Amino acid sequence: GENVEQHPSTLSVQEGDSAVIKCTYSDSASNYFPWYKQELGKRPQLIIDIRSNVGEKKDQRIAVTLNKTAKHFSLHITETQPEDSAVYFCAASYSSASKIIFGSGTRLSIRP
Amino acid sequence: DTAVSQTPKYLVTQMGNDKSIKCEQNLGHDTMYWYKQDSKKFLKIMFSYNNKELIINETVPNRFSPKSPDKAHLNLHINSLELGDSAVYFCASSPSGSSTDTQYFGPGTRLTVL
């Protein structure tokens, strides 16, 4: 069935270090994979997305990689800063149902 | 210029009451959604409308009834509120309703049922 698994559920890294969040999806037809950042008390906001015709996409300190064969995709944040502290959600498209399915979220904390 | 707006931001009410949440988008999008985010932060889709037509209706109790008077508005009415309805409800919109569209979220409505 429709499922997106996300790990870890919580992640604490030292400021300046890198953070990696991983997701797997179940529908082999999924072709769109957005990542959302949700700060405390705020709305989820898109930070980066990747489509199935590319394997990697980068935007300044954030990058996303996609392995369609293994049905894995990951978010990489380098040189982490205090403002990176938030809950991050991965998602995958389900074209047969015109929707995206969200992962369970990762709470990222940046230690000063 | 708020792209997707919701009212109210906070809603505190007693069990058994009926309440509504309103959503409006000024992005010119065709599709709007309602999501429920529970205390564990799970984001679960409830409904979607494309140009006033119901597209997605997940397994949501029929106490929840969405209404879309036009493609810029999607309201959510909840009858006979229960404790388990306490959550943050997010409205979202996307250009066409394709699963590959970016979805833009409203600020959320925190519903507390006492």
Side-chain angles (χ1 to χ4, degrees), chain A residues 38-57:
Chain A
Q38 186 179 24
E39 296 178 358
L40 189 62
K42 301 288 179 66
R43 73 189 79 193
Q45 291 197 292
L46 181 78
I47 54 171
I48 195 167
D49 56 16
I50 191 167
R51 296 177 191 272
S52 58
N53 56 344
V54 298
E56 184 172 356
K57 185 176 177 181

Side-chain angles (χ1 to χ4, degrees), chain A residues 2 31-32 36 38 40-46 49 51 87 89 93-104 107, chain B residues 2 4 9 33 35 37 40-43 45 48 55-56 58 90 97-108 110:
Chain A
E2 315 156 350
N31 57 359
Y32 175 61
Y36 283 80
Q38 186 179 24
L40 189 62
K42 301 288 179 66
R43 73 189 79 193
Q45 291 197 292
L46 181 78
D49 56 16
R51 296 177 191 272
V87 178
F89 293 94
S93 63
Y94 280 84
S95 55
S96 60
S98 299
K99 63 183 178 183
I100 59 173
I101 300 295
F102 285 87
S104 52
R107 185 177 299 278
Chain B
T2 305
V4 183
K9 189 166 174 62
Y33 310 80
Y35 285 87
Q37 186 172 47
K40 293 184 178 178
K41 298 296 186 185
F42 292 122
L43 264 172
I45 189 165
S48 78
I55 302 297
I56 294 173
E58 296 288 295
F90 285 100
S98 165
S99 60
T100 59
D101 279 353
T102 296
Q103 294 186 18
Y104 298 85
F105 284 80
R110 183 176 293 278

Side-chain angles (χ1 to χ4, degrees), chain B residues 19-103:
Chain B
K19 290 294 178 186
S20 292
I21 307 171
K22 295 187 176 184
C23 179
E24 177 180 359
Q25 55 95 4
N26 63 6
L27 295 167
H29 289 170
D30 284 344
T31 303
M32 297 182 73
Y33 310 80
W34 278 113
Y35 285 87
K36 179 180 181 181
Q37 186 172 47
D38 61 22
S39 57
K40 293 184 178 178
K41 298 296 186 185
F42 292 122
L43 264 172
K44 183 131 176 47
I45 189 165
M46 301 172 70
F47 303 102
S48 78
Y49 270 75
N50 182 280
N51 208 2
K52 302 193 295 178
E53 180 185 348
L54 180 66
I55 302 297
I56 294 173
N57 185 352
E58 296 288 295
T59 49
V60 176
N62 57 15
R63 299 182 295 103
F64 290 79
S65 52
K67 282 195 172 46
S68 181
D70 56 60
K71 73 175 194 177
H73 296 85
L74 180 62
N75 304 323
L76 184 65
H77 187 76
I78 316 169
N79 288 328
S80 304
L81 279 155
E82 300 178 357
L83 293 176
D85 298 333
S86 295
V88 179
Y89 292 84
F90 285 100
C91 176
S93 73
S94 71
S96 70
S98 165
S99 60
T100 59
D101 279 353
T102 296
Q103 294 186 18

Side-chain angles (χ1 to χ4, degrees), chain A residues 18-79:
Chain A
S18 296
V20 180
I21 302 169
K22 298 183 179 183
C23 290
T24 60
Y25 59 98
S26 57
D27 184 359
S28 55
S30 293
N31 57 359
Y32 175 61
F33 307 90
W35 285 87
Y36 283 80
K37 175 183 180 182
Q38 186 179 24
E39 296 178 358
L40 189 62
K42 301 288 179 66
R43 73 189 79 193
Q45 291 197 292
L46 181 78
I47 54 171
I48 195 167
D49 56 16
I50 191 167
R51 296 177 191 272
S52 58
N53 56 344
V54 298
E56 184 172 356
K57 185 176 177 181
K58 194 172 180 181
D59 182 4
Q60 299 182 16
R61 294 186 299 107
I62 59 173
V64 57
T65 58
L66 172 65
N67 181 331
K68 283 223 75 179
T69 304
K71 293 191 247 177
H72 289 171
F73 58 114
S74 301
L75 178 73
H76 304 252
I77 306 174
T78 58
E79 300 172 22

